Structure formats: structure tokens, C-alpha cells
Amino acid sequence: MKMKKDDFALNYTNSHGGEKMSDEELKTIKRMARKNTRRMDGWGWAFVICNTIFLVLFTIVTLYPVWNTVAYSFNDGLDAIRGGIYLWPRKFSVESYSKVLNIQGFVVGAKITVLRTILGTLTSLVANALLAFVISRKRFLFRSSLSLFWVVTMYVNGGLIPVMLLYRYLHLTNTFWVYIIPGMISAFNVMVLRTYMEDLPDELEESAQLDGAGYITIFIKIISPLCKPVYATVALFVAVWQWNSWFDAMLYNRMKTEYTTLQYELMKLLNSVTQQSGSANGNNTTAAAKQVTPVSVRSAATVVTMVPIICIYPFLQRYFVTGLTIGGVKG
Amino acid sequence: MANEADQIVNTEEAAVENEINAEAETTETAAETVIAENVETVTETAESTEENAVDAAYQVENYAKEAIEHESTLSEAQIKALSKKRISKGELKRQWILLAIGFIFVLYGLLFYYLPLGGWIMAFQNYKLKTGLFHSKFVGFDKFKFMFEFDVFEWGMETTGNFFKAMKIWIDKVVFVRAIRNTLGMGILNLATTFIMAIVFAILLNEVKNKLGKRLVQTISYLPHFLSWIIVCGIVHDSLSGTGIVNELLRLFHIVDDSYNFFAHPGWFWPIVAFANVWKETGWNAIIYLAAITAIDPSLYEAAEIDGAGRWGKIRYITLPSIAPTIVILLVMNLGNLLNCGFEVQYLLGNGLVQDVAQTIDIYVLNWGVGQMDYSLGTAAGIFKSVVAIILILIFNTVAKKLGQESLF
């Protein structure tokens, strides 16, 4: 608790440029703040109550479906089919997880997804950073034309079919590399990185050049260490995108089960149900019912697929907040 | 040291001037050539001691900058010319590595982003894998005519004589026209709902005084953004299924007796897609508004308070006008992307019963181009989408400029 108070005092003084406040002053401020709250009129209270209700509802709507999925995943498979499980499993069991891990495609998909996330993030980060570095050099001759060249790619693209045929022609389809190479550069990420690099003081580069440093040295030794926060942002964006991709696996590697991804496998599991509910009046429901994966197994698969990202994102909050602010308004 | 550098600077400046003179005049006097030679030797020795040369180059640049600042009479073109001159030969030499990297990336971009544009030729051909891009038969706009079936519209006009009725017939009968309607309809609905929700959420969250609660709610609100559409659609599907929470609640309040199948009624499909988008992206989209709100000068609120503004007053007269520029620019950007939102949800949640309202242009491309292997038709549909999207972006970018906001380019 004491830490909190000191922090507040420090922050306050920092933002107001004065000296650190004494405990006495702090107390006065707090008393005044409390008084202000007390002085709130009826409308003010109504607002606070409505606002709280809204935000609590919002949180519940966001969190409940995810929590419910976790609850189902830990429930006994047969029992779960009856439904009616809300916040806690009725009959606890981890059997569904062992079932999921025994699905051949799922294990392969997990390996490929981890691999593509790591490799894809690394290559993409290096490539984007290098390109952003080149574009952000203020004295680079072709700076604006190179920048335009990449901005255009954000808005114009060939479309699904020409791209697919190109990959086929380049023999990228039915390989692992189709996950890594074509999506390596994203103009949006380049612009985020560029904006950040441009905001760094020019003097850094100039003094390094005075010491005889070339551009590569400047990139590695001067710019990159300062860009760590924005690198983290871009790495997060790319990693999430890689982890969540499924369409490329379906389109380019449908025939190659050894290059399947986690999300695509999950889709196959979930799809057996989605398709069925639409054609519920059909005669083939009995046949379909046999193929339908039990709800607990589907939930377990979903949980396995989302857990890594859910565990990581809260710690990277400040990074993506800065990244979005830079990219959203200035990009 | 300083004197030496100054000398070099002077001589270098002289050299630059000389170059200009030499360009302008066709005849050179002997004296000038001597000076030029001298300059060259001096710069050469300077370059041998690299530090000095770089130093000198920078000082020259600084002088040029100062000159630009002082002489306000210089026209913009002149300033540009001057700043171009500022890149010295040494700097050019140093830039080769930037050039090399830039060149590699241009090659990469040409291959993966610009080359597919050449594939647009396929839309005007009867493309076959066997004959390839260079030997397939050209068919002109046949593929586009097949897609749009204008004769259905004309027929409608003839029989009903009413434009709107003819449009309705056209949409009902022609798959691609329906796909356009669905794309636009869902795009607008999604945009409106996610946009408004994000702003409302940001403003309301900002009013929370409890730091811990605020942080907690915000952290939770990001969560769905990090889930894939596969998971989100699975969750939406489970929630709306017979044993899902929505039907449980409906039964609890006796709104329905038996479970209601949301996915069997076309009328529910667009709202479900919009809800899925709102659920996934509200917290994420709010980030940028929250950042904009944080940047508002607190003294504005204090002033408003003194003027007797309550919570609503402060939101209405301080918060909203302050974040208005952000709202406008994001709205314009999103309007440009209207056709791009919506492929995965529709693909994952759609089924045979709601096909008429679920099929978007992207799914049409997928069905015909990939499913039926009619590459030409798929490309044609893709081109239509790209062209309309670019027109939208250009229109809204101009709108943004007119409104006095930063343009996107």
C-alpha cells in the first residue's frame, strides 16, 4: 500500500514539475477528491451506476463464452452433450485433452504452427525493420519513391486467383515456405516502424557517421536498440497473425497434411458441427452425427489453440497500444 | 582542427559553386580550372582523413540549411534544388548499401505484389492452365457480362418499368449482384456497429475513476481480438446453438418454448455477423480513441467544470470535439476498406440455408475461381472488387482532405 502512495506522489510531482509532495499535502488532495465525489448530484450518480452496469455487462459478454468453453473442455465428454454447463465443469475430466492430443493432424498442426510463428515472426521483423530503416533515412535519394512503392501495395493487390496461380508457378504451394515468404513484408508494419524511426533524433545518426559508422552499423548498433518497443509491437502483430492463419493452409497446402496448421485443424473439427446445424432437416443427420466431434473435445481443441496467445497478450499491452497509435493515425 | 575544417568547408562550397558555374557556362577560364583542381586535391586529402571530410560535409549541409532559413525569398523549387545538392559525393558512396537493400525489396515487391496485377489479363481471356497466360483465347468483357447478366436487369425494366423493382429482380436472380449487395450491406452494418461501439466504449471506460477496474476491463476487452476467426465463429455458433447460453436465456424468460435456430433464418445472419465483429474488435478499436482521449489537455475539463459542466457536458463539449479528428480519419480509412471487411465470418458461419444473404464477393471468387477452377471468372470478380475499393479509397481520401484532415497518403 505504501508503495502505491509513493508512486502517486512521484507521478504527481513528475507531471507537475514540482518537488515531491509531503504526506500532508497528499492527504489534503485526497480529502478534496473525496469531497468532490461526495458532492456529486443525482445525475452524476445515475451516470456512474449506468456506466458500471454497462461495463460489467460488456466484460461478462466478452469473458463468459471463453470461460464457458474452458468449463466444457474439462467436463466429461458424454455428460457434456446434455449441455447446461455454465461456469464450472459438472463432471471433471481431462480426457478430452488427451483425445485432442491423440488427433494426428492436431499434433502436426501444432508443430507447424509453432514453427511458422517463430520463423515467420523473425524473418518478417528483420525484413520490415530493414525496409523501414531504408525508407526512414532522411537523406536517402529514393526515399519517397520507395515509400510510395510500398504504400501502393496496401491498397492495390492482384486478388486471390492471380496470387494463387503465382504461388503455384513459383512452386510455393505444397511447401512450408508459402507461410513465410509471401507475407514477409507488410506495408502497414513498415509504416509503423518507419514513423517510429523518423521520430528518433537525427543527431544520433550524424554523430555515428562522424565516428565512421556505415549504415549497417547504424542500423544494428544505434537504431535497433532504440526501436525495441516498436519491434515488440510489430513482432506481436506478426506472431498473432501467423498463429491465427488458417486460410493459407486451406488454400495452398490442402493436399499436404504434413504442413497443416493448428487453426485449420480446429476449423475441420468445428466445421463438422456448423455445417450440420444448417441442414438439420436433412435425412443424413444420423450419418453426420457419427462424424460430429463431441462438444468437450471441440472445446478442448479450442482452448489448446487459444491458450498461448491469451497467456502472452496481457504482458505486451503497452507495446501494441503504442504501435496502434502510431500506425492508426499517422500510417 | 577547426580552421582546417573551415577551410575545407570554404573550398568545398567553392567547388559546389564551381560545378554550378561549369554547368551554366560553356567556356571555362584557366584560372577557374586551376581553382577546381586545387579544390579537388583538397577534398581528396580531406577524404583520406575521413573524420574531417564527414565533418566538413555536415558543416556544408548546415550552412545550406541556414541559407535556406535566412533567405525567405527562395522559391520552393529552389529550396528543393538546394536540398538535392546537399547530398555530397561521399554520402552517395555511403548510400550504396541503402540502395542495395532497397533494390532487393523492390524486386520482392514487384514479384509478390505487382506481378499478380499482370494476372488481371486472365479476366479478359478464357484462361486455361494448359494454354497459359500467353496462348489463351481473348474474350473481351465476356466474363464480366456473364457475372452481371445485365439482360436480367433490362428484362426487369421492360416488364415492370420500375427501376427499383428491376433492381430487386436483378439482385434476386443474379448471384454476383447479390454478392455485391451482401458485401456492401454487411460492410456498412459492421462498420456502423463496430465504429459506434468502439467510441462509446472508449468514452465510458474513460469515465471510470477506479484505476484497477479500468485496467482490468480494458485488458479483458482486448482478448477477443487475439482469437482467430475460427475460434470466434465457433464460440458464436456454440452460444447461439440449441444448448447455448442465448437459447437458455430465451427459455428462462419464456420468450421461446423450444430452442430457436438462429442459423436457419436468413434475417438473423447479418446481425450475427455484425455482433461477431463487435464482440471481437470493440476493445481493440477503442485503443486508439482512448489514446486520443488521454492526450486531451486536463485544463479543458477544469475550465468546463468551472463553467458548470456536468459529466455529460464534459463529454459533449470537450471529449467528443477533441477526438473528432481521430474519428473522422478512422471513419474515412474504414470506409475505404468497406469491401474488404467480411470473408472469414461469412465463410465460417454461412450454410446452405442462409447462402443468399451470406455470399460475399470474396466467397464468390472462392467458389468460382478455386472451387469451379474458372480462373478467369474468379479474377474478373476480384478485379471488380479491387477497382471499386480503390475508387472508394480515393473518394474518401479526397473527402478527408476537404474536411481539412490529414490525408492518408
Side-chain angles (χ1 to χ4, degrees):
Chain A
M1 273 323 271
K2 214 176 173 221
M3 270 294 291
K4 275 259 166 72
K5 202 168 77 183
D6 282 355
D7 271 359
F8 173 73
L10 207 65
N11 280 336
Y12 191 84
T13 41
N14 279 345
S15 57
H16 289 254
E19 281 175 18
K20 200 177 166 191
M21 273 183 295
S22 67
D23 276 8
E24 206 53 45
E25 279 175 299
L26 205 68
K27 261 181 201 161
T28 333
I29 287 177
K30 278 191 174 168
R31 206 180 303 127
M32 276 164 64
R34 227 174 289 136
K35 231 182 192 175
N36 265 344
T37 340
R38 224 181 282 142
R39 235 195 284 138
M40 214 155 40
D41 56 4
W43 283 111
W45 276 116
F47 181 88
V48 170
I49 289 167
C50 289
N51 194 9
T52 313
I53 290 175
F54 172 82
L55 289 174
V56 167
L57 268 180
F58 182 91
T59 312
I60 290 174
V61 170
T62 307
L63 215 50
Y64 174 79
V66 179
W67 186 262
N68 187 238
T69 310
V70 178
Y72 263 104
S73 74
F74 281 110
N75 201 58
D76 179 71
L78 266 176
D79 181 62
I81 296 172
R82 284 201 290 133
I85 291 163
Y86 305 106
L87 293 176
W88 301 106
R90 197 163 37 211
K91 251 171 119 181
F92 185 84
S93 148
V94 287
E95 202 191 342
S96 306
Y97 283 94
S98 64
K99 269 186 190 158
V100 165
L101 295 178
N102 276 329
I103 302 174
Q104 184 57 30
F106 217 77
V107 180
V108 177
K111 276 183 199 154
I112 292 292
T113 302
V114 169
L115 193 61
R116 74 176 279 184
T117 304
I118 293 172
L119 204 61
T121 308
L122 283 178
T123 52
S124 189
L125 184 61
V126 171
N128 284 330
L130 257 178
L131 181 56
F133 173 75
V134 172
I135 296 180
S136 63
R137 289 314 90 195
K138 295 201 171 67
R139 289 184 299 164
F140 180 48
L141 263 182
F142 303 102
R143 176 196 161 140
S144 51
S145 36
L146 190 61
S147 172
L148 184 69
F149 178 90
W150 283 103
V151 168
V152 167
T153 64
M154 270 204 285
Y155 299 102
V156 186
N157 60 65
L160 183 75
I161 305 294
V163 167
M164 190 182 80
L165 291 178
L166 175 74
Y167 292 174
R168 206 178 277 176
Y169 187 74
L170 294 173
H171 297 288
L172 275 173
T173 49
N174 296 325
T175 65
F176 173 73
W177 299 108
V178 75
Y179 302 139
I180 308 290
I181 295 171
M184 198 159 63
I185 294 204
S186 132
F188 177 81
N189 289 338
V190 172
M191 294 308 144
V192 171
L193 288 162
R194 186 196 72 169
T195 314
Y196 195 90
M197 287 178 181
E198 275 176 355
D199 286 348
L200 297 175
D202 296 339
E203 288 77 23
L204 287 170
E205 184 189 336
E206 287 171 7
S207 58
Q209 283 196 339
L210 287 181
D211 293 341
Y215 275 112
I216 291 293
T217 320
I218 292 173
F219 173 65
I220 296 173
K221 294 236 169 99
I222 313 281
I223 304 291
S224 289
L226 291 169
C227 284
K228 268 181 198 158
V230 76
Y231 283 180
T233 309
V234 170
L236 177 76
F237 286 168
V238 178
V240 169
W241 172 71
Q242 285 279 9
W243 184 269
N244 283 340
S245 301
W246 57 277
F247 190 60
D248 43 14
M250 186 178 98
L251 200 60
Y252 307 127
N253 280 339
R254 190 197 285 265
M255 306 297 170
K256 285 275 185 182
T257 43
E258 65 259 47
Y259 299 132
T260 184
T261 66
L262 207 51
Q263 301 288 343
Y264 183 45
E265 289 301 313
L266 181 66
M267 184 198 136
K268 283 197 250 173
L269 274 183
L270 300 184
N271 229 11
S272 57
V273 186
T274 320
Q275 295 309 328
Q276 190 212 5
S277 75
S279 53
N281 53 348
N283 296 325
N284 54 354
T285 33
T286 42
K290 278 179 196 161
Q291 293 171 359
V292 168
T293 328
V295 60
S296 58
V297 176
R298 279 189 287 127
S299 303
T302 309
V303 172
V304 167
T305 316
M306 68 185 171
V307 149
I309 280 193
I310 289 187
C311 291
I312 292 169
Y313 91 88
F315 303 101
L316 295 169
Q317 257 186 72
R318 68 194 170 103
Y319 293 126
F320 58 72
V321 172
T322 27
L324 257 196
T325 323
I326 297 172
V329 181
K330 290 185 184 168
Chain B
M1 257 309 269
N3 279 340
E4 240 178 71
D6 267 357
Q7 251 182 357
I8 295 164
V9 169
N10 289 336
T11 44
E12 273 214 6
E13 275 188 318
V16 172
E17 270 171 37
N18 261 348
E19 272 177 36
I20 297 168
N21 287 340
E23 274 169 15
E25 292 170 33
T26 44
T27 52
E28 289 177 4
T29 60
E32 269 179 31
T33 35
V34 170
I35 293 173
E37 269 171 26
N38 275 343
V39 166
E40 264 176 36
T41 49
V42 171
T43 36
E44 264 173 37
T45 48
E47 263 173 7
S48 63
T49 52
E50 227 181 49
E51 278 183 23
N52 285 348
V54 178
D55 209 2
Y58 273 109
Q59 294 205 18
V60 170
E61 259 178 42
N62 285 338
Y63 285 134
K65 268 185 207 163
E66 276 173 30
I68 291 168
E69 277 166 14
H70 285 301
E71 291 180 41
S72 51
T73 46
L74 281 177
S75 72
E76 257 185 44
Q78 272 173 315
I79 290 174
K80 258 190 186 168
L82 255 178
S83 52
K84 264 195 181 163
K85 274 259 156 26
R86 269 197 293 148
I87 296 169
S88 61
K89 278 181 187 165
E91 171 64 23
L92 264 186
K93 234 184 233 170
R94 224 177 299 120
Q95 277 190 2
W96 76 269
I97 184 75
L98 295 184
L99 266 176
I101 297 171
F103 183 69
I104 293 170
F105 282 123
V106 166
L107 283 186
Y108 175 90
L110 283 176
L111 180 62
F112 285 108
Y113 288 96
Y114 287 86
L115 194 59
L117 293 176
W120 281 14
I121 298 170
M122 280 190 293
F124 307 98
Q125 292 177 329
N126 208 348
Y127 181 85
K128 293 273 181 309
L129 273 181
K130 258 188 218 161
T131 47
L133 203 59
F134 300 105
H135 302 287
S136 292
K137 217 178 95 196
F138 273 90
V139 293
F141 284 92
D142 276 10
K143 293 289 169 187
F144 290 91
K145 281 178 197 155
F146 174 82
M147 241 159 45
F148 282 101
E149 294 183 58
F150 291 109
D151 45 332
V152 173
F153 179 72
E154 279 161 25
W155 176 81
M157 278 302 271
E158 271 168 32
T159 46
T160 60
N162 182 322
F163 176 78
F164 294 104
K165 277 181 188 162
M167 278 299 276
K168 196 176 173 299
I169 291 172
W170 200 27
I171 289 172
D172 282 344
K173 295 244 192 282
V174 183
V175 180
F176 187 68
V177 182
R178 204 157 55 221
I180 296 174
R181 182 210 50 189
N182 294 340
T183 310
L184 277 178
M186 272 184 271
I188 293 169
L189 191 66
N190 290 350
L191 178 61
T193 46
T194 49
F195 209 73
I196 292 169
M197 266 306 281
I199 296 170
V200 169
F201 177 69
I203 289 176
L204 290 184
L205 189 63
N206 185 58
E207 293 296 323
V208 175
K209 293 286 172 274
N210 182 335
K211 277 248 170 78
L212 187 73
K214 191 171 167 180
R215 221 184 144 70
L216 192 70
V217 172
Q218 202 179 2
T219 306
I220 290 171
S221 76
Y222 299 146
L223 185 145
H225 173 82
F226 291 96
L227 305 179
S228 69
W229 272 118
I230 310 262
I231 295 177
V232 173
C233 289
I235 281 174
V236 168
H237 191 270
D238 283 347
S239 303
L240 293 174
S241 71
T243 51
I245 184 73
V246 177
N247 268 312
E248 294 271 1
L249 286 176
L250 288 179
R251 272 195 296 264
L252 187 70
F253 293 112
H254 297 287
I255 297 169
V256 291
D257 298 326
D258 202 10
S259 53
Y260 185 81
N261 189 351
F262 287 90
F263 292 98
H265 301 271
W268 277 104
F269 192 74
W270 288 14
I272 290 171
V273 172
F275 177 77
N277 273 289
V278 167
W279 189 76
K280 193 170 190 285
E281 304 295 352
T282 296
W284 185 255
N285 292 343
I287 290 177
I288 213 156
Y289 299 114
L290 277 167
I293 292 173
T294 324
I296 298 173
D297 185 358
S299 62
L300 287 177
Y301 288 109
E302 284 158 24
E305 237 166 75
I306 291 167
D307 287 347
R311 287 218 179 198
W312 284 116
K314 279 189 274 183
I315 291 174
R316 167 79 182 74
Y317 294 106
I318 308 287
T319 312
L320 272 176
S322 300
I323 62 170
T326 315
I327 293 179
V328 170
I329 199 159
L330 284 181
L331 182 66
V332 168
M333 280 169 84
N334 284 325
L335 278 171
N337 276 328
L338 206 56
L339 293 186
N340 285 330
C341 42
F343 148 67
E344 288 176 292
V345 206
Q346 291 85 346
Y347 182 79
L348 294 169
L349 284 181
N351 60 55
L353 296 174
V354 292
Q355 188 176 298
D356 283 351
V357 290
Q359 197 176 46
T360 59
I361 299 178
D362 285 325
I363 296 179
Y364 182 91
V365 172
L366 205 61
N367 283 348
W368 282 93
V370 182
Q372 307 289 321
M373 306 250 269
D374 190 337
Y375 297 122
S376 292
L377 193 61
T379 312
I383 290 180
F384 175 79
K385 194 190 126 186
S386 285
V387 171
V388 175
I390 292 164
I391 293 172
L392 281 178
I393 288 166
L394 290 178
I395 289 175
F396 288 111
N397 194 37
T398 330
V399 171
K401 269 185 196 161
K402 282 262 160 64
L403 290 171
Q405 309 294 345
E406 275 180 78
S407 90
L408 305 183
F409 304 115

